[in-house]
Every structure is written in structure tokens, then in C-alpha cells.
Amino acid sequence: MPPPRKALIAITSAHAPLYPEGKETGLFITEALHPFLVFKKAGFDVDLVSETGSYQPDWLSQQKDWLNDEDKAIWEDHSSEFRSKLDDLLKPSDINSSNYGLFFASAGHASLIDYPEAKGLQSIVSKMNTDGAIISAVCHGGAIFPGIIDPSTGKSIIANRRVTGFTTQGEEEEGVLDTIKSWNRPTIEASAASSGATYVSPPGPWDAFTITDGRLVTGANPASAHVTAEAAVNAFDAI
């Protein structure tokens, strides 16, 4: 029996100064919006959840270079399904993992802060993985993986798997590597390595890029959110 055609998108609850003049990181809007639209188009019911039931948008993700007019219209329309679900986020205690067949960790640099310790979200993903669901993440969303343990191996679910995510080169180009270090958090490349995964870099830090390894689907950066979600749907349909 195939898993339920229902997707759960995780949203970071964290926020912190990252950009000039103290502007903050939080949810990178299109990294949740684009997967939401892909999943809806593919016939999935979609819910949004964060560890605390709260979120803050990333400053950069609201700028015109990163949020086109069509996406901005959905984001600013509080009656749109996407925005209304963001405005009324679920918490892990609201979630029955058996109702979902696909998990997607959206991101923003802020996910480096809360995803590693998001025990509620991690528990949901662990159960979904055991039940045979598709597990996916984009950009910094992979920060959740080291804490998701496969009970059959005692290791992270990405151990001995091929994954991608935001490059350390990209952190250097953005000038934020020292800030990440001040959070006492590893880069995505480092956390993948420490979990026993093989990190595969995109052709360039900002190129759309996704990898599918069985039921595990990962993407490299904001430009990859759409193609990663499409690859997750393809993986689901192949079950």
C-alpha cells in the first residue's frame, strides 16, 4: 500500500541577525512556497509545521531579486492557502506522522540554528522514514538530518547516502561563515560529513541542483527548491 499522498513542509522557527544593518535570517520564503506549489499541482494535500508553531521571514528572501511578482502576490495575500497556513502553523504535537507520505525541510540560514535540536520535527521524520515515506530537504534544510536516527542502524538516515545542500563556498561568498561559526553550528557540508554521508556539490553555489538517493531527495540552494520538490514527487510516484 503506497504512503498517503500528503506532504509535510517543515519551517524554521529561528531567526537571527545575518545581513547588513542587523537584518535577520528566518524562513527563506520561496524554499517553502515553490515546493508547496509543486506538491499541490501534483495532487498532494500539504501542511506546514515548525518546531514551535512560529516563524519569521528571512529579510533577503523578501527582496525583488529573490521574490518575483507572482510569488510576492501569494506571499502578501493572507487569504492564499500558502500564507494562511504559514500564519497558522502547526506544531509537532499537532502531527500524526502516519498521515503523510512526503516530508520536505524548507530552510533559510536560520534552520542551522533550530533544526539540529528540533526533536519534535526529528521524531516525525524518523517515523515517516521508517514507514517508507519520501524524505527531502533543500539548501540549509539538511541541518535536520544528523538528528534523525535510523533505529535499524543507530546512525543518521543520511549515513552512506549521497546528499547535496548549500555549499561552504556559498557561505564564504555571502560573507556569513563567521556568523555561522558564532552560532556554533556546522555548515551543511560539514554536518553531512559528520553524519557519514557523501556530500555532492552543485556545479556552482547558486545553480539549481538536486540529488535523489532512493527515498532521500536533497537540493542545493534557493534556486533548487522547485526542482527538488519535483524530484521528491517523482520519487514518491516510483514507490
Side-chain angles (χ1 to χ4, degrees):
M1 183 175 177
R5 201 173 187 85
K6 190 169 185 177
L8 185 65
I9 298 177
I11 307 292
T12 177
S13 291
H15 59 93
L18 182 70
Y19 305 111
E21 301 175 358
K23 293 181 172 67
E24 292 196 326
T25 179
L27 163 67
F28 208 91
I29 295 166
T30 56
E31 290 182 357
L33 173 57
H34 289 174
F36 182 91
L37 297 175
V38 168
F39 297 149
K40 292 296 293 185
K41 184 177 180 180
F44 284 75
D45 289 332
V46 187
D47 284 331
L48 307 181
V49 62
S50 77
E51 186 71 8
T52 65
S54 63
Y55 83 102
Q56 179 172 303
D58 179 281
W59 171 80
L60 183 64
S61 77
Q62 299 175 77
Q63 307 312 303
K64 190 169 182 62
D65 285 348
W66 297 98
L67 193 69
N68 65 34
D69 290 344
E70 184 177 349
D71 292 339
K72 183 179 181 181
I74 297 172
W75 159 247
E76 293 184 343
D77 180 4
H78 288 266
S79 66
S80 71
E81 185 181 7
F82 174 75
R83 186 61 191 268
S84 63
K85 288 193 171 185
L86 262 183
D87 290 344
D88 191 21
L89 273 176
L90 299 172
K91 300 185 293 293
S93 59
D94 299 319
I95 300 299
N96 180 347
S97 62
S98 64
N99 290 338
Y100 301 90
L102 192 158
F103 173 84
F104 190 97
S106 69
H109 278 87
S111 57
L112 293 175
I113 298 172
D114 70 325
Y115 277 3
E117 298 174 357
K119 300 302 183 185
L121 293 176
Q122 291 171 6
S123 176
I124 291 167
V125 185
S126 179
K127 291 173 184 173
M128 288 179 65
N129 182 63
T130 299
D131 290 344
I134 299 301
I135 308 300
S136 52
V138 71
C139 203
H140 296 89
I144 199 169
F145 288 141
I148 304 170
I149 305 303
D150 183 340
S152 67
T153 65
K155 300 178 180 180
S156 167
I157 62 170
I158 63 170
N160 303 312
R161 311 290 287 279
R162 296 170 71 246
V163 299
T164 192
F166 199 65
T167 64
T168 302
Q169 179 186 344
E171 309 291 15
E172 292 170 342
E173 289 183 6
E174 281 198 282
V176 300
L177 196 53
D178 286 344
T179 301
I180 292 171
K181 290 177 180 177
S182 77
W183 296 339
N184 196 28
R185 290 292 189 259
T187 63
I188 290 299
E189 287 189 45
S191 67
S194 68
S195 298
T198 298
Y199 175 85
V200 182
S201 182
W206 309 103
D207 294 331
F209 183 72
T210 183
I211 285 180
T212 299
D213 187 337
R215 292 185 291 105
L216 181 67
V217 183
T218 51
N221 47 41
S224 307
H226 189 278
V227 294
T228 304
E230 288 183 329
V233 170
N234 290 338
F236 181 94
D237 287 340
I239 295 176

